[in-house]
């Protein structure tokens, strides 16, 4: 359950800035802007960003990104489920901790409507969209990271 608040050493539950996940708008240079950053750049009364969350359980090889919003006051939850695996530090020069990530499914829940689940296995020859996340700093309360699309993440553990 991703709402549990445990301090086990088997994973990381956090909320914070930055984006992550599968593509979105194009940024300068033609790179896709991560979905989380796309959502968080909306402004005005139409969209209320209520939080971005990321749960990583490296031991189980699971990642869950979740954005909670309201669109014209109707709740919307976007979840992106992925698998993850550590990358050999030799492949990154030994300076960072990298997780390879393969996105598996997107779930959209709008208000009281049934949840729409979209499998991503049709992308990338059945592997789903892929990327990586470097953890550049980690302590009991905060994680700093960088994604393969140039995203910078500052996340804090939920209390």
């Amino acid at each position: 359950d991703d709402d549990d608040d445990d301090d086990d050493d088997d994973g990381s539950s956090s909320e914070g800035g930055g984006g992550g996940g599968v593509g979105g708008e194009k940024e300068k240079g033609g790179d896709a802007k991560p979905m989380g950053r796309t959502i968080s750049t909306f402004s005005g009364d139409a969209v209320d960003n209520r939080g971005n969350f990321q749960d990583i359980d490296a031991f189980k090889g699971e990642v869950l990104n979740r954005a909670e919003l309201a669109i014209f006051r109707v709740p919307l939850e976007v979840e992106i489920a992925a698998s993850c695996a550590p990358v050999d530090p030799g492949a990154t020069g030994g300076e960072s901790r990298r997780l390879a990530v393969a996105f598996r499914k997107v779930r959209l829940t709008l208000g009281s409507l049934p949840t729409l689940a979209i499998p991503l296995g049709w992308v990338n020859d059945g592997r789903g969209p892929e990327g990586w996340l470097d953890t550049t700093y980690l302590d009991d309360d905060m994680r700093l990271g960088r994604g393969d699309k140039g995203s910078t993440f500052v996340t804090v553990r939920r209390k």
Side-chain angles (χ1 to χ4, degrees):
D1 185 335
D2 53 73
D3 290 328
D4 287 345
D5 185 27
D6 57 49
D7 292 325
D8 294 344
D9 292 299
D10 64 345
S12 171
S13 294
S14 55
E15 92 180 274
V22 290
E25 297 177 12
K26 295 286 184 177
E27 290 186 327
K28 290 181 182 176
D31 291 332
K33 181 190 287 188
M35 184 190 71
R37 202 165 352 139
T38 301
I39 292 170
S40 65
T41 58
F42 290 129
S43 62
D45 295 329
V47 178
D48 177 19
N49 185 345
R50 298 178 175 178
N52 297 302
F53 305 90
Q54 184 175 65
D55 298 322
I56 298 174
D57 189 329
F59 293 109
K60 289 183 179 178
E62 298 173 349
V63 176
L64 181 67
N65 291 326
R66 188 175 78 246
E68 295 177 359
L69 321 161
I71 299 177
F72 297 107
R73 297 190 179 130
V74 177
L76 170 65
E77 183 171 286
V78 179
E79 289 184 350
I80 304 172
S83 60
C84 66
V87 174
D88 179 6
T92 62
E95 295 180 12
S96 64
R97 304 283 300 204
R98 180 170 289 178
L99 283 178
V101 179
F103 299 96
R104 302 291 183 224
K105 185 185 331 181
V106 175
R107 284 187 290 272
L108 304 169
T109 305
L110 180 62
S112 61
L113 295 174
T115 297
L116 173 64
I118 305 166
L120 299 174
W122 55 273
V123 177
N124 202 14
D125 294 324
R127 294 186 307 269
E130 296 177 312
W132 50 259
L133 172 66
D134 280 346
T135 297
T136 55
Y137 175 81
L138 178 66
D139 67 19
D140 290 339
D141 297 314
M142 182 172 58
R143 176 170 46 94
L144 303 179
R146 183 174 62 92
D148 64 303
K149 301 282 189 285
S151 300
T152 300
F153 301 87
V154 177
T155 54
V156 293
R157 186 173 297 275
R158 289 181 286 200
K159 300 289 179 186

